[in-house]
């Protein structure tokens, strides 16, 4: 009991004495020290280069403040005692309508989402031969085999894309998020049931797409691509956009941005009523740095599905970011004008 009381006493004492800092710097001696006045917000703490240059930004800001003060430049803000980019940003986020509707900054959103195909909602299931398999009777699980028939070079299956042509040399991490989408557990048994399904119908676009998802779960890019290509090849025009969206999603997550965009735009040309396609194209354009195009695609997604909340939030987050850039540019021009012409 005495030890517990002593521990609580020390904890209270330390809690009163300790201050928390979110910004740190590396000194010339190589020591890491806290920096309680940094203009750089560590949204990406794993970015070592930005971390190291943190103190340099503070020095540049302090120099700019001294220049502004020496020239007696009026601030466009009502409170001229505090001049910082962060104060401009905070004020903008609080007052702009698009920023309020977005609920958070653009940098807080995820743009590399995993697309899940709901097979049940598509009315698609495994064949009877697969469903009746008892897992306990299988001694060795077999993997799906998609390339029973070799396909000729085909632009419609995207053989011309670099990420497809180099499939043998590309590696990927397992996509565990896709486990939410498997029809049978565990994944190795699921792979075996797809193997059996393909034996009953080797040209089923749905079974081939399931096989592609299985290989994504296992981190096998080469076989995932082969299954996707055959799924696209055998699918009817009505279903073709389903494996195309999944292929685009995989390429996007692997940062093959232009290839991903090519596949997505091709799929959207087949199904221009798909709000999901428009949404993912918006995601791709954000990662390409083309926010104006991203805004247009999110807007199109909402027009197709007014209840698509993520598209709504990202649309306003993009517009908020675009307006903030313009706002900060205006502030920059204002200070530049007064620095040299005041």
């Amino acid at each position: 009991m005495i030890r517990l009381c002593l521990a609580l006493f020390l904890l209270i004492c330390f809690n009163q004495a300790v201050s928390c800092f979110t910004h740190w710097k590396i000194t010339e001696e190589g020591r890491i020290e806290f920096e309680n006045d940094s203009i750089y917000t560590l949204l990406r703490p794993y970015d070592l280069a930005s971390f190291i240059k943190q103190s340099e930004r503070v020095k540049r800001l302090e120099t700019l403040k001294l220049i502004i003060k020496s020239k007696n430049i009026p601030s466009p803000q009502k409170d001229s005692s505090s001049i910082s980019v962060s104060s401009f940003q905070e004020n903008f986020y609080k007052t702009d309508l698009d920023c309020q509707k977005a609920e958070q900054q653009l940098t807080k959103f995820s743009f590399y989402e995993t697309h899940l195909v709901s097979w049940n909602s598509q009315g698609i299931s495994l064949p009877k031969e697969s469903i009746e398999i008892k897992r306990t009777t299988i001694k060795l699980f077999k993997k799906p085999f998609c390339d029973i028939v070799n396909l000729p070079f085909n632009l419609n299956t995207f053989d011309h894309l670099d990420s497809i042509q180099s499939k043998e040399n590309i590696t990927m991490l397992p996509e565990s998020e896709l486990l939410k989408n498997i029809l049978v557990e565990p994944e190795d048994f699921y792979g075996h049931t797809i193997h059996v399904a393909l034996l009953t119908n080797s040209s089923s676009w749905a079974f081939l797409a399931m096989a592609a998802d299985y290989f994504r779960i296992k981190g096998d890019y080469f076989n995932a691509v082969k299954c996707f290509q055959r799924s696209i090849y055998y699918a009817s025009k009505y279903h073709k956009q389903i494996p195309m969206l999944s292929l685009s999603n995989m390429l996007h997550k692997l940062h093959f941005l232009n290839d991903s965009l090519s596949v997505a735009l091709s799929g959207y040309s087949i199904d221009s009523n798909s709000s999901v396609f428009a949404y993912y194209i918006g995601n791709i354009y954000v990662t390409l740095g083309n926010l104006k195009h991203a805004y247009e695609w999110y807007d199109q997604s909402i027009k197709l599905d007014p209840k698509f909340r993520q598209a709504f939030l990202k649309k306003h987050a993009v517009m908020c970011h675009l307006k903030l850039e313009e706002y900060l540019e205006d502030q920059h021009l204002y200070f530049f004008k007064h620095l040299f012409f005041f």
Side-chain angles (χ1 to χ4, degrees), residues 152-161 165 229 232 266:
F153 185 91
N154 194 330
L155 295 178
N156 293 325
T157 57
F158 308 101
D159 278 315
H160 59 290
L161 299 181
Q165 292 182 0
Q229 285 187 293
I232 295 168
S266 296

Side-chain angles (χ1 to χ4, degrees), residues 191-209:
H192 185 85
T193 60
I194 299 171
H195 168 82
V196 174
L198 285 171
L199 291 178
T200 65
N201 186 355
S202 61
S203 61
S204 166
W205 73 268
F207 299 158
L208 289 164

Side-chain angles (χ1 to χ4, degrees), residues 15 23 26 48 52 58 60 83 110 120 129 137 139 165 187 189 196 224 277 285 294 297 301 310 315 332 338:
N15 189 49
H23 305 288
I26 298 179
L48 180 60
I52 293 174
V58 176
R60 290 201 298 268
I83 302 173
S110 171
N120 291 327
E129 291 84 352
T137 62
K139 295 182 179 179
Q165 292 182 0
E187 68 266 25
F189 180 55
V196 174
F277 248 122
Y285 271 119
W297 281 101
S301 178
Q310 274 300 103
K315 169 190 170 181
H332 172 77
H338 284 80

Side-chain angles (χ1 to χ4, degrees), residues 16-84:
Q16 296 294 326
V18 172
S19 297
C20 296
F21 297 94
T22 59
H23 305 288
W24 302 79
K25 67 178 182 180
I26 298 179
T27 65
E28 294 180 357
E29 293 79 19
R31 297 177 58 186
I32 298 178
E33 298 180 352
F34 66 81
E35 178 64 72
N36 60 3
D37 183 23
S38 173
I39 63 172
Y40 182 72
T41 303
L42 286 174
L43 290 175
R44 297 177 176 83
Y46 49 80
D47 190 338
L48 180 60
S50 297
F51 171 78
I52 293 174
K53 294 179 180 179
Q54 208 176 163
S55 59
E56 295 178 14
R57 291 185 176 88
V58 176
K59 291 178 182 178
R60 290 201 298 268
L61 178 62
E62 292 301 326
T63 302
L64 180 60
K65 285 182 178 180
L66 291 174
I67 294 173
I68 293 172
K69 187 175 181 180
S70 66
K71 290 181 176 286
N72 195 27
I73 299 173
S75 170
Q77 302 292 317
K78 292 181 179 180
D79 180 13
S80 59
S81 60
S82 177
I83 302 173
S84 69

Side-chain angles (χ1 to χ4, degrees), residues 1-238:
M1 186 67 183
I2 296 176
R3 290 183 179 179
L4 178 60
C5 292
L6 180 60
L8 289 172
F9 175 76
L10 291 174
L11 180 62
I12 293 171
C13 290
F14 278 119
N15 189 49
Q16 296 294 326
V18 172
S19 297
C20 296
F21 297 94
T22 59
H23 305 288
W24 302 79
K25 67 178 182 180
I26 298 179
T27 65
E28 294 180 357
E29 293 79 19
R31 297 177 58 186
I32 298 178
E33 298 180 352
F34 66 81
E35 178 64 72
N36 60 3
D37 183 23
S38 173
I39 63 172
Y40 182 72
T41 303
L42 286 174
L43 290 175
R44 297 177 176 83
Y46 49 80
D47 190 338
L48 180 60
S50 297
F51 171 78
I52 293 174
K53 294 179 180 179
Q54 208 176 163
S55 59
E56 295 178 14
R57 291 185 176 88
V58 176
K59 291 178 182 178
R60 290 201 298 268
L61 178 62
E62 292 301 326
T63 302
L64 180 60
K65 285 182 178 180
L66 291 174
I67 294 173
I68 293 172
K69 187 175 181 180
S70 66
K71 290 181 176 286
N72 195 27
I73 299 173
S75 170
Q77 302 292 317
K78 292 181 179 180
D79 180 13
S80 59
S81 60
S82 177
I83 302 173
S84 69
V85 173
S86 60
S87 65
F88 289 149
Q89 290 180 343
E90 289 173 9
N91 178 64
F92 187 86
Y93 286 131
K94 290 178 182 178
T95 57
D96 182 78
L97 184 60
D98 281 298
C99 297
Q100 293 172 2
K101 289 182 177 180
E103 297 183 2
Q104 62 181 4
Q105 299 175 28
L106 184 67
T107 53
K108 300 289 183 67
F109 286 94
S110 171
F111 298 98
Y112 292 98
E113 302 167 80
T114 297
H115 174 65
L116 300 176
V117 178
S118 177
W119 298 113
N120 291 327
S121 65
Q122 296 286 337
I124 297 171
S125 61
L126 291 167
K128 180 181 178 182
E129 291 84 352
S130 296
I131 295 173
E132 292 180 347
I133 298 174
K134 294 182 179 180
R135 181 159 58 100
T136 54
T137 62
I138 308 300
K139 295 182 179 179
L140 181 64
F141 293 127
K142 295 182 179 180
K143 297 180 181 180
F145 187 70
C146 294
D147 52 348
I148 295 175
V149 178
N150 290 324
L151 297 181
F153 185 91
N154 194 330
L155 295 178
N156 293 325
T157 57
F158 308 101
D159 278 315
H160 59 290
L161 299 181
D162 290 340
S163 58
I164 303 299
Q165 292 182 0
S166 305
K167 58 181 175 289
E168 294 182 2
N169 302 318
I170 296 173
T171 58
M172 66 181 293
L173 295 174
E175 292 191 61
S176 56
E177 300 95 334
L178 288 168
L179 287 170
K180 302 174 185 176
N181 205 38
I182 64 177
L183 299 176
V184 181
E185 294 182 343
E187 68 266 25
D188 287 330
F189 180 55
Y190 181 53
H192 185 85
T193 60
I194 299 171
H195 168 82
V196 174
L198 285 171
L199 291 178
T200 65
N201 186 355
S202 61
S203 61
S204 166
W205 73 268
F207 299 158
L208 289 164
M210 290 179 190
D213 280 351
Y214 165 79
F215 285 117
R216 289 174 69 185
I217 292 170
K218 305 303 286 187
D220 187 338
Y221 178 80
F222 176 73
N223 280 302
V225 167
K226 288 199 298 183
C227 294
F228 272 134
Q229 285 187 293
R230 283 154 180 77
S231 178
I232 295 168
Y233 181 81
Y234 287 116
S236 66
K237 185 176 181 180
Y238 177 77

